[in-house]
Amino acid sequence: MWYLVRCTLNRLMQVHEAVGRLGLEAFLPVYDSRPLFPDSFLVRASRQDFVDLLSQRITGLAPYYKDASRQDFVAFADSQIAMLRTIVDSHNPNILVDQSLMPRYLDGDMVEVIDSTFKGVVGRYLKFKGQRRVFVEIPGLGCFGTAYVPKDMVRAVA
């Protein structure tokens, strides 16, 4: 699982590096030379390893909780973050990651990209801003769109 953590006191880079030094995989999505989430990044760990990370008392590191009970952490499946990584790591200037620019309704066919830089991305295929794109919706994190993907590079999925 991937756990979302936030960094306080403008310590994003220091906390990200500290987590990496502990041997955990940390993903800081960067787009256009800026972190995609200004004060947050993702940590891949088992639940126990994540709890152990929190017990390290890294200054500036705080978990996101699902609700006010603070019993469960905000977490995402490996497959969801793999698709986000595919989109962001493409370094394509035409991807859509700014949440204020996303379409209001994702009313398109479910497809999987079978070829191109975005191979493996599964989401809604629709025309937006004049181009056919695949949009991945990750509840609790956001919506992310590929750059143009031709029709012959996608296949329908159930």
Side-chain angles (χ1 to χ4, degrees), residues 80-96:
Q80 292 174 307
I81 303 307
M83 290 187 289
L84 173 61
R85 283 187 106 142
T86 299
I87 292 170
V88 173
D89 291 349
S90 73
H91 302 292
N92 187 310
N94 297 312
I95 63 172
L96 294 171

Side-chain angles (χ1 to χ4, degrees), residues 4 15 21 25 31 41-42 64 70 85 95-97 104 108 115 122 148:
L4 185 64
V15 173
R21 283 193 300 271
E25 185 177 356
Y31 179 72
F41 66 94
L42 295 142
Y64 279 101
R70 299 176 72 130
R85 283 187 106 142
I95 63 172
L96 294 171
V97 294
R104 290 183 183 220
D115 197 9
V122 177
Y148 172 69

Side-chain angles (χ1 to χ4, degrees), residues 90-154:
S90 73
H91 302 292
N92 187 310
N94 297 312
I95 63 172
L96 294 171
V97 294
D98 184 339
Q99 299 304 297
S100 68
L101 301 176
M102 290 302 142
R104 290 183 183 220
Y105 304 103
L106 293 180
D107 190 24
D109 296 330
M110 282 298 291
V111 299
E112 177 180 4
V113 180
I114 56 173
D115 197 9
S116 86
T117 307
F118 304 109
K119 183 177 181 176
V121 171
V122 177
R124 298 276 176 192
Y125 191 54
L126 59 133
K127 191 171 187 177
F128 184 72
K129 298 202 181 247
Q131 295 184 333
R132 288 268 178 199
R133 303 165 184 261
V134 177
F135 287 88
V136 176
E137 201 168 12
I138 304 174
L141 200 56
C143 184
F144 308 93
T146 66
Y148 172 69
V149 177
K151 218 178 224 183
D152 62 338
M153 291 189 181
V154 299

Side-chain angles (χ1 to χ4, degrees), residues 9-35:
L9 307 170
N10 295 319
R11 295 179 187 227
L12 180 65
M13 296 311 293
Q14 296 94 328
V15 173
H16 180 262
E17 290 168 7
V19 169
R21 283 193 300 271
L22 292 172
L24 294 173
E25 185 177 356
F27 174 48
L28 174 62
V30 174
Y31 179 72
D32 204 16
S33 302
R34 290 186 311 245

Side-chain angles (χ1 to χ4, degrees), residues 65-72:
Y65 294 99
K66 284 188 178 180
D67 56 36
S69 72
R70 299 176 72 130
Q71 296 297 313
D72 216 2

